[in-house]
Amino acid sequence: MDTTASGLTFRDAIDADVDALVALIESAYRGDASRAGWTTEADILEGQRTDPQGVLDVIKSPDSRLLTVERDGVVVACCQLEHRGTHAYFGMFAVSPTLQGGGLGKVIIAEAERAARETWGTTEMHMTVISVRDDLIAWYERRGYRRTGRMTPFPYGDERFGVPQRADLQFELLIKELG
């Protein structure tokens, strides 16, 4: 499914993309490089956001797609779509920090929602966001997602998800009806 919008190419990730995708996801959320964009989690989490095996697991899963976004042959963004019955789960969303704030995220999330509807006939998109990320939650609310107040615990002690810098982290479920 290669389509181009605003000079972008959308395609499903392949094994050869793993290193580029891990680098992209890490750059968008962790460390000093992430501070160039507004999605950084560097103040609340240290350590890794993902690893090559985690990315490969998404690529290989029969119920999942890792939508990869390129501009001029360079990976600039990605997101995971996972089929879960009547809804799709949206995760692993990353936009290159130097390209954040220019509307790219809006284009990608709209394409992800369209792909979930067309591929699986899903009627809702679900995602979880760290509940203290007020700016990020507000961005999703402007895209039509609503807070549910349904929380799940952060996996403290599992460094595959990062090293928390505070004790109050949890995930909140956000939902959007896909019309």
Side-chain angles (χ1 to χ4, degrees), residues 141-172:
E141 287 179 313
R142 291 191 298 275
R143 312 275 94 65
Y145 288 81
R146 64 179 170 76
R147 298 182 83 154
T148 64
R150 291 176 17 212
M151 304 291 181
T152 53
F154 186 87
Y156 283 92
D158 187 342
E159 292 191 5
R160 290 177 305 156
F161 299 97
V163 180
Q165 301 303 296
R166 45 193 287 182
D168 63 343
L169 301 182
Q170 57 186 343
F171 294 104
E172 181 171 2

Side-chain angles (χ1 to χ4, degrees), residues 72-129:
D72 300 323
V74 176
V75 175
V76 296
C78 68
C79 64
Q80 171 191 8
L81 294 172
E82 185 178 318
H83 186 212
R84 296 182 178 176
T86 60
H87 73 272
Y89 178 80
F90 178 84
M92 216 177 266
F93 186 29
V95 174
S96 175
T98 58
L99 298 175
Q100 291 177 15
L104 190 55
K106 293 177 200 170
V107 171
I108 294 161
I109 198 166
E111 172 61 17
E113 292 165 1
R114 186 203 63 74
R117 270 193 319 270
E118 286 192 10
T119 304
W120 299 310
T122 54
T123 57
E124 288 183 339
M125 186 79 85
H126 290 198
M127 71 173 72
T128 55
V129 178

Side-chain angles (χ1 to χ4, degrees), residues 7-74:
L8 302 175
T9 302
F10 294 87
R11 62 175 177 78
D12 287 336
I14 58 173
D15 295 8
D17 294 321
V18 168
D19 290 343
L21 290 168
V22 170
L24 169 71
I25 293 163
E26 293 298 309
S27 76
Y29 290 97
R30 299 287 198 273
D32 286 337
S34 71
R35 295 181 195 281
W38 68 274
T39 60
T40 183
E41 295 172 345
D43 293 330
I44 59 173
L45 290 161
E46 291 180 355
Q48 69 179 31
R49 178 65 152 63
T50 191
D51 58 29
Q53 189 59 53
V55 171
L56 193 60
D57 289 347
V58 173
I59 292 171
K60 296 290 192 194
S61 171
D63 293 323
S64 223
R65 305 173 63 182
L66 188 52
L67 195 60
T68 301
V69 185
E70 291 180 328
R71 178 177 280 154
D72 300 323
V74 176

